[in-house]
Amino acid sequence: MPTPVTKLWLKSGGMDMRTSCLCLINVILLAGTACGLQITSTGPTSIEKASGETVKLDCQFTLAADDSGPLDIEWSLQPSDNQKEEKVVIVYSGDRAFEHYYDPLKGRVHFNSPDPKNGDASMNIMGLKATDTGTYQCKVKKVPGIGSRKFLLTVMVRPSKPKCYAEGQTHAGKDMVLRCISAEGTQPLQYEWERTTGNKLLPPQAVLDPVGGTMSLRNATDAASGTYKCIAKNRVGREECMVEVNITQPPNNGGIIAAGVICTLLFLILLALLLFCCCRARNKKKYEKEISYEIREDVPAPKSRVSTARSFTSVGSQRSSLGSMSPSNMHEYTKSQYDKIPSDEYERPPSHAPIPPPSRMAGPNLSRMGAIPVMVPAQNRDGSIV
């Protein structure tokens, strides 16, 4: 039975030796590819996973009978551009696994099978991170056979728990906005709003923004009151939050203004009363002080020695006129005048009552006024005549 090479030679119909050799080499390569090492995995090569999960990159293979060389398995991270070199991640060679080639995946990557030479070159990556995103290649080689397979791994971050809150006035007839924001999460993030109370239907005047995460309520009414739920999601996860909306009637502005005016007037009245009381108390105190001064001014001053001297002068004048009296009259006069007990005003020391300077008046003036010349007798300290 003719071989494929013989048939090709016969079909060529007398080709030269060079062309015949090239055809023979191509036939041998095609036969080796069809019958040698093959990658048998048929799963998806584009995989999306959430951060923190574990992914298995499936790489099953079969060997041909003439694949007699040593088995080598190599997983590598392909560069994002042609100027960078690929990074070796994990290697199986000489019946041993080497899993510490790539530091960012150190301790998180290993072969799926404890003995990959049995046809399972799959690799597992645990605790995925966003930085693990990239193109990974599985290359299996057993001379003369060789095979490879590539995977596009995308590690996405789940949305963090969003924060829900309301902006604007919660009064009927006013506009308000419900906001929902998730701080973390791989884009694109989508936001959905649901109502969890009442008829569970969103108000007809609600305007949704699925990208910005807002729901606008224009000209809100009491029917919009209730509990709303926001859902933030992407392709690998979802989170939600709740917000309570209570629409109330607007306050009575006229009543508030009237109350403010009344309170202001009362305050002014109280302030005026307080000032009046203070002024009245001050005037009363001032009046009492002035009265006390007037009372002190009305009190007669103590008699000075000038008045005492004048009294003795009058006494002397009376005594000088004794010569014109009869003895009987002089006896009664002397008795009535000298039986009196001297008062305290005659015993007061001169230092206690300052003597005012005597007024000087000319003799003719005194005569004109009807004054009579009198000789004043001398006196000692106890008031007796010397």
Side-chain angles (χ1 to χ4, degrees):
M1 182 175 181
T3 62
V5 177
T6 306
K7 291 181 179 179
L8 182 60
W9 175 262
L10 294 175
K11 187 176 181 181
S12 62
M15 289 187 300
D16 57 5
M17 182 62 68
R18 183 179 178 181
T19 305
S20 301
C21 291
L22 290 175
C23 292
L24 182 59
I25 291 172
N26 290 332
V27 171
I28 292 173
L29 291 175
L30 291 172
T33 302
C35 301
L37 188 149
Q38 291 184 353
I39 303 296
T40 59
S41 298
T42 58
T45 57
S46 180
I47 302 174
E48 291 182 350
K49 287 289 185 178
S51 59
E53 293 183 346
T54 298
V55 64
K56 175 186 176 182
L57 303 181
D58 191 34
C59 186
Q60 307 287 336
F61 67 92
T62 58
L63 300 174
D66 55 350
D67 295 332
S68 58
L71 177 64
D72 292 327
I73 302 174
E74 179 185 277
W75 280 91
S76 61
L77 178 62
Q78 302 299 302
S80 56
D81 53 52
N82 296 329
Q83 296 179 357
K84 296 181 180 180
E85 297 180 355
E86 64 181 14
K87 304 292 184 180
V88 177
V89 176
I90 189 172
V91 172
Y92 179 85
S93 179
D95 296 337
R96 291 184 58 190
F98 301 91
E99 302 176 347
H100 305 292
Y101 274 90
Y102 188 50
D103 288 339
L105 290 175
K106 188 175 181 179
R108 297 191 293 122
V109 61
H110 58 83
F111 284 104
N112 184 63
S113 173
D115 191 3
K117 66 182 179 181
N118 293 330
D120 185 7
S122 303
M123 177 181 67
N124 295 333
I125 303 177
M126 301 178 297
L128 287 172
K129 301 178 181 179
T131 55
D132 297 337
T133 298
T135 302
Y136 294 84
Q137 177 177 262
C138 170
K139 184 186 295 184
V140 181
K141 180 172 62 176
K142 188 174 177 67
V143 178
I146 184 173
S148 64
R149 191 180 190 209
K150 291 183 178 182
F151 297 86
L152 176 59
L153 175 63
T154 302
V155 181
M156 304 182 69
V157 179
R158 289 188 181 92
S160 61
K161 188 172 183 61
K163 179 182 178 181
C164 296
Y165 59 95
E167 285 185 352
Q169 299 182 7
T170 58
H171 297 152
K174 301 294 183 178
D175 296 342
M176 64 178 303
V177 179
L178 301 183
R179 294 191 179 276
C180 179
I181 299 176
S182 182
E184 297 179 357
T186 302
Q187 299 295 334
L189 283 176
Q190 295 290 323
Y191 295 93
E192 295 180 358
W193 285 94
E194 297 178 359
R195 189 173 183 178
T196 60
T197 57
N199 55 12
K200 299 186 178 181
L201 295 177
L202 295 178
Q205 67 271 28
V207 179
L208 302 178
D209 182 3
V211 178
T214 62
M215 181 176 69
S216 301
L217 296 176
R218 302 182 185 277
N219 194 17
T221 62
D222 295 341
S225 300
T227 304
Y228 294 85
K229 177 173 68 175
C230 172
I231 302 172
K233 63 180 181 179
N234 58 12
R235 292 195 293 268
V236 293
R238 56 185 287 165
E239 288 290 343
E240 60 186 39
C241 62
M242 311 288 285
V243 61
E244 184 75 21
V245 176
N246 185 20
I247 305 297
T248 59
Q249 293 298 324
N252 186 1
N253 295 329
I256 295 177
I257 295 174
V261 171
I262 293 174
C263 292
T264 304
L265 292 177
L266 289 176
F267 174 77
L268 294 176
I269 292 173
L270 291 176
L271 182 61
L273 289 175
L274 180 61
L275 293 175
F276 175 76
C277 293
C278 292
C279 294
R280 185 175 181 181
R282 185 177 179 181
N283 294 335
K284 183 178 180 181
K285 186 176 181 181
K286 184 177 179 181
Y287 176 76
E288 292 176 353
K289 191 174 182 181
E290 292 177 353
I291 291 299
S292 63
Y293 287 159
E294 291 177 359
I295 294 174
R296 291 179 184 178
E297 291 176 356
D298 293 341
V299 175
K303 293 181 179 180
S304 62
R305 292 186 60 84
V306 176
S307 61
T308 306
R310 290 179 179 174
S311 62
F312 280 109
T313 302
S314 62
V315 172
S317 62
Q318 293 176 3
R319 289 182 180 179
S320 62
S321 59
L322 292 177
S324 61
M325 297 182 180
S326 62
S328 60
N329 294 337
M330 185 170 60
H331 173 75
E332 294 176 359
Y333 178 82
T334 303
K335 183 178 179 181
S336 62
Q337 295 294 332
Y338 290 96
D339 287 346
K340 295 180 181 180
I341 299 174
S343 61
D344 293 339
E345 61 183 11
Y346 301 106
E347 297 179 358
R348 184 176 298 169
S351 60
H352 290 181
I355 302 173
S359 61
R360 294 180 181 180
M361 187 173 292
N365 294 333
L366 293 174
S367 301
R368 244 186 250 115
M369 295 173 63
I372 301 172
V374 179
M375 184 175 65
V376 180
Q379 302 176 5
N380 57 11
R381 286 191 173 183
D382 57 0
S384 60
I385 300 174
V386 178

